[in-house]
Amino acid sequence: MAMNRSRRSRENLYRMYMEFFERAERKRRWSVFEDIPWELHDPSRNDEERALNVETFCAVELYLPDFVSKGVNLVRECFGQTWFQVNWGYEESKHGLALRLYLENTGQRTTAQLFDLEESIAAKTWELPFHTARRMTCYGAIQESSTLLAYKRLIADSKRHEDELLAAILTLIARDEAAHGEFYRQVLAVELEEDRQAALDDLAYVGLNFRMPVLDLFDDLDARLRALRAHDAFDTWGFRVKIWAPLLKKLDVSREEMQQAYRRVREREREARREQDAEPGDRAANA
Ligand SMILES: [Fe+2]
Ligand SMILES: [Fe+2]
């Protein structure tokens, strides 16, 4: 079967994965059993709004079955990307678990409430927002950086309110998120090297259609967003500004180049709409 990727890019991705994995194994691994300082828990620091924010992040992390199964199938022909997805899934599984344990061990949620949460998550499925590996790489680069930024805001918030235990857990998670964002950025750099214009168009397309997963997963979204905003952990436009400029700088993509890509994508979308609008008339004329 013909491969979509050249041998050279698969070799690049293999090397990148091995570097990522070695660093993860040697320097970044942490354990929910050994490395969380549960002794720092101070019940006077429990706060319902902050607990709701942790629950929201925990819930997003618990959509893991969909993220992993749908994500891995898109990249199965490339060893580096597939092994990354699986390792990524392991790391994300710890994030959901650590946050779940935090809620339970601090007495802010009962075991029964957490199983209810699990059921509400199982009732919905997360759908792939984009359907090619390259677009999902663009999505991953933006999504992981947005998640990192949100966790950083929550870390600052927990420190402000002297919830040292939560700050410690979030700091472990944030280091993983930073590594995930970096890996996706590196893959995107390989894509730009392979076919610069097509990769830029995908980045522009994903930029125009990007939504954080949190926006599509909850029935009680408004209350959750209110709590996140009250703690400075969600702000669509502010996040966008903070994420795009560094991303483009690291990828060495100029503003003009990006503007041109946006124009091409918008033009193609207009074209597709014109064709769609023309269709019923054509059919009528042919009838
Ligand atoms: Fe995560
Ligand atoms: Fe992540």
Side-chain angles (χ1 to χ4, degrees), residues 20 24 28-29 61 84 87-93 95 137 140-141 143-145 147-148 173-187:
F20 166 89
R28 197 161 47 75
R29 288 289 174 245
E61 300 275 9
F84 170 76
N87 180 85
W88 174 91
Y90 159 70
E91 295 182 8
E92 299 294 354
S93 78
H95 303 171
T137 296
Q143 199 272 332
E144 293 286 346
S145 314
T147 306
L148 172 62
I173 296 177
R175 284 175 55 204
D176 291 347
E177 308 295 14
H180 299 164
E182 181 57 31
F183 186 82
Y184 281 118
R185 268 196 301 279
Q186 287 177 3
V187 179

Side-chain angles (χ1 to χ4, degrees), residues 2 13 56 69 95 108 164 191 226 231 283:
L13 290 166
T56 301
S69 61
H95 303 171
Q108 297 183 89
E164 296 301 332
E191 300 286 15
R226 255 197 313 279
H231 292 257
R283 267 202 297 274

Side-chain angles (χ1 to χ4, degrees), residues 154-214:
L154 283 187
I155 292 169
D157 181 68
S158 345
K159 286 187 175 160
R160 256 196 312 277
H161 295 92
E162 294 171 19
D163 187 339
E164 296 301 332
L165 169 60
L166 182 57
I169 294 173
L170 296 173
T171 302
L172 290 169
I173 296 177
R175 284 175 55 204
D176 291 347
E177 308 295 14
H180 299 164
E182 181 57 31
F183 186 82
Y184 281 118
R185 268 196 301 279
Q186 287 177 3
V187 179
L188 199 44
V190 170
E191 300 286 15
L192 285 163
E193 217 179 275
E194 284 272 292
D195 186 341
R196 191 167 181 89
Q197 182 157 328
L200 285 172
D201 285 5
D202 276 352
L203 186 58
Y205 181 84
V206 170
L208 290 170
N209 295 287
F210 181 82
R211 279 168 72 80
M212 284 298 274
V214 67

Side-chain angles (χ1 to χ4, degrees), residues 18-69:
M18 286 308 289
E19 275 169 32
F20 166 89
F21 186 58
E22 185 176 3
R23 218 171 306 134
E25 292 280 87
R26 291 189 194 279
K27 305 212 164 112
R28 197 161 47 75
R29 288 289 174 245
W30 55 277
S31 155
V32 286
F33 305 108
E34 305 286 341
D35 301 314
I36 296 181
W38 296 110
E39 69 282 1
L40 292 181
H41 177 230
D42 172 357
S44 74
R45 298 290 123 198
N46 285 3
D47 169 80
E48 180 42 35
E49 208 169 43
R50 212 161 41 249
L52 182 63
N53 286 340
V54 172
E55 189 192 271
T56 301
F57 276 75
C58 178
V60 175
E61 300 275 9
L62 291 180
Y63 276 90
L64 192 68
D66 298 330
F67 299 149
V68 171
S69 61

Side-chain angles (χ1 to χ4, degrees), residues 55 58-59 62-63 65 100 111-124:
E55 189 192 271
C58 178
L62 291 180
Y63 276 90
R100 187 181 172 135
T111 311
Q113 283 173 321
L114 291 167
F115 276 98
D116 287 345
L117 179 68
E118 205 184 289
E119 276 165 32
S120 74
I121 288 164
K124 271 203 170 78

